[in-house]
Amino acid sequence: MSESFSSPKIGTEAGAKTGAPSTPLFPAPACGQQDSILGKAFDVIRHGIVQAVFPAATVAVTHRGKLVALKAFGRFTYEADSASVTVATVFDLASVSKAVATTSMAMVLYERGLIDLEAPVVSMVPEFAGSDVRRGDVTMHMLLAHSSGLPAYEKLFLKAKSREELLAAAFATPLTADPGTRAEYSDIGFIILAIALERVADESLDRFCQREIFGPLGMLHTAFNPPAAWRASIPPTADDHTFRNRVIQGEVQDENASVLGGVAGHAGLFGTAEDLATFAHVLLQGGPPLVRPETLALFTRRETTPAGTSRALGWDTPSTPSQSGKYFSARSFGHLGYTGTSLWIDPERQF
């Protein structure tokens, strides 16, 4: 299931890359009864727009291999003359980037034997070492599981004026807990994770994801730094009066990601709800052609430590209470984004 703040299809088959039995790459269109089946849910979205909780939304839902809902609501802004959102509207996915882009890159590199999840981060990013000996204990696994001891967020953009300066500040960010002892969702950790993955792949995050993930899966309207031609299809995310001093539209809202050039491990990806539905469909089918089922199972299995964590590797799992709601199974996994985006996948119920 994918819902986000939404693509032409190509005829690729999942079995082409893996040698596995041929499986449709795209969910079969089946939206004819969406209003009768999901009418109450759609009314909740409409009510949110009327109450100015958000100006717009697009929703895509897959079920048992079928795209059972694809619908758009609202306008780009609260202004009456603002452009209407359509199912082709492209949204800033914010932290959903962590799962769809960065974690997917990690899965692919892991499956190819190019990364060891228990390898220390300093073996790939020696700049991370510093004077705190605990930093040598931080592993790739911990970055993915948000248990590295790094803080959740720092306004690095306030003191870093270039990509190089911001990365240096991220590498030097002090630990706030011993590695592996506390789960704390960390943008800083994913900034560093992406750099480690890029160095292993000898390729930037955006280029790797385009060639290995978005292109092969036919996600034609998913990209970092979307081209100028897409701008009219992208709603604004902020009227920034403090940092960039302009309306943010067609560029990443996250300030740290902006200084990093729009390509970062924690944010920066743009896409449509339908593209996310395609991505979700592939994972619901077990992972091919992206990864094998065994790799997907490893990354989406809930961690057993630290105590109380709801995290998997790059993904989240249901907790109490959970913004995923109360209807997803314990085996489900997903991710949220600061701009209001959400992607949730339930292999047990095939949503």
Side-chain angles (χ1 to χ4, degrees):
M1 175 179 178
S2 67
E3 305 177 33
S4 68
F5 276 59
S6 154
S7 324
K9 302 187 184 326
I10 57 176
T12 308
E13 296 291 320
K17 183 176 179 180
T18 64
S22 183
T23 303
L25 183 60
F26 300 100
C31 299
Q33 299 182 44
Q34 62 178 339
D35 290 318
S36 59
I37 296 173
L38 294 170
K40 290 183 178 179
F42 293 162
D43 285 343
V44 171
I45 295 172
R46 294 187 183 98
H47 181 70
I49 293 172
V50 170
Q51 296 298 312
V53 178
F54 46 83
T58 58
V59 177
V61 180
T62 67
H63 183 228
R64 300 192 182 281
K66 296 180 179 180
L67 182 66
V68 297
L70 181 63
K71 198 170 183 70
F73 307 84
R75 297 180 179 277
F76 277 26
T77 71
Y78 293 112
E79 303 299 322
D81 60 351
S82 178
S84 295
V85 167
T86 73
V87 295
T89 297
V90 178
F91 289 92
D92 179 343
L93 300 179
S95 283
V96 173
S97 308
K98 292 182 175 76
V100 177
T102 313
T103 299
S104 293
M105 182 176 181
M107 287 196 295
V108 171
L109 293 177
Y110 170 81
E111 185 162 293
R112 294 175 183 174
L114 296 175
I115 61 170
D116 177 355
L117 295 179
E118 306 313 320
V121 174
V122 294
S123 65
M124 287 155 279
V125 188
E127 305 97 312
F128 180 66
S131 59
D132 186 343
V133 295
R134 298 177 301 170
R135 300 173 82 85
D137 296 329
V138 176
T139 64
M140 298 288 282
H141 187 132
M142 292 175 185
L143 293 182
L144 282 159
H146 295 284
S147 61
S148 65
L150 286 163
Y153 176 72
E154 295 287 337
K155 293 183 178 181
L156 303 179
F157 62 91
L158 293 179
K159 54 187 175 183
K161 305 306 179 185
S162 67
R163 173 180 170 83
E164 292 72 23
E165 289 181 3
L166 195 138
L167 288 178
F171 297 152
T173 300
L175 300 184
T176 56
D178 290 341
T181 65
R182 184 183 72 192
E184 182 172 11
Y185 178 75
S186 177
D187 276 5
I188 308 300
F190 260 69
I191 290 173
I192 297 168
L193 173 64
I195 298 303
L197 296 174
E198 288 181 337
R199 291 181 180 180
V200 170
D202 194 26
E203 188 171 22
S204 65
L205 174 67
D206 57 333
R207 291 181 180 178
F208 183 95
C209 288
Q210 182 59 48
R211 190 188 70 255
E212 298 286 348
I213 302 164
F214 311 145
L217 299 191
M219 298 168 66
L220 303 183
H221 292 89
T222 300
F224 289 92
N225 285 326
W230 291 14
R231 190 176 188 276
S233 299
I234 303 174
T237 51
D239 188 358
D240 185 351
H241 294 284
T242 59
F243 179 55
R244 284 167 284 187
N245 297 306
R246 60 178 178 270
V247 172
I248 306 304
Q249 182 177 13
E251 60 178 303
V252 63
Q253 180 274 331
D254 183 272
E255 295 93 342
N256 285 336
S258 177
V259 175
L260 288 170
V263 180
H266 70 296
L269 191 64
F270 286 71
T272 64
E274 189 172 12
D275 272 10
L276 289 188
T278 294
F279 180 82
H281 172 74
V282 167
L283 299 196
L284 283 169
Q285 304 306 304
L290 184 60
V291 292
R292 294 191 300 266
E294 296 82 1
T295 300
L296 179 62
L298 172 66
F299 276 74
T300 58
R301 184 183 305 124
R302 187 172 187 155
E303 293 283 286
T304 57
T305 58
T309 186
S310 66
R311 296 287 164 183
L313 298 184
W315 293 92
D316 200 7
T317 66
S319 55
T320 304
S322 173
Q323 293 189 56
S324 65
K326 59 183 179 180
Y327 297 106
F328 289 101
S329 77
R331 290 182 55 210
S332 66
F333 53 94
H335 214 288
L336 304 179
Y338 180 80
T339 53
T341 54
S342 175
L343 170 65
W344 212 265
I345 300 167
D346 191 339
E348 186 172 302
R349 300 184 66 191
Q350 282 293 296
F351 270 104

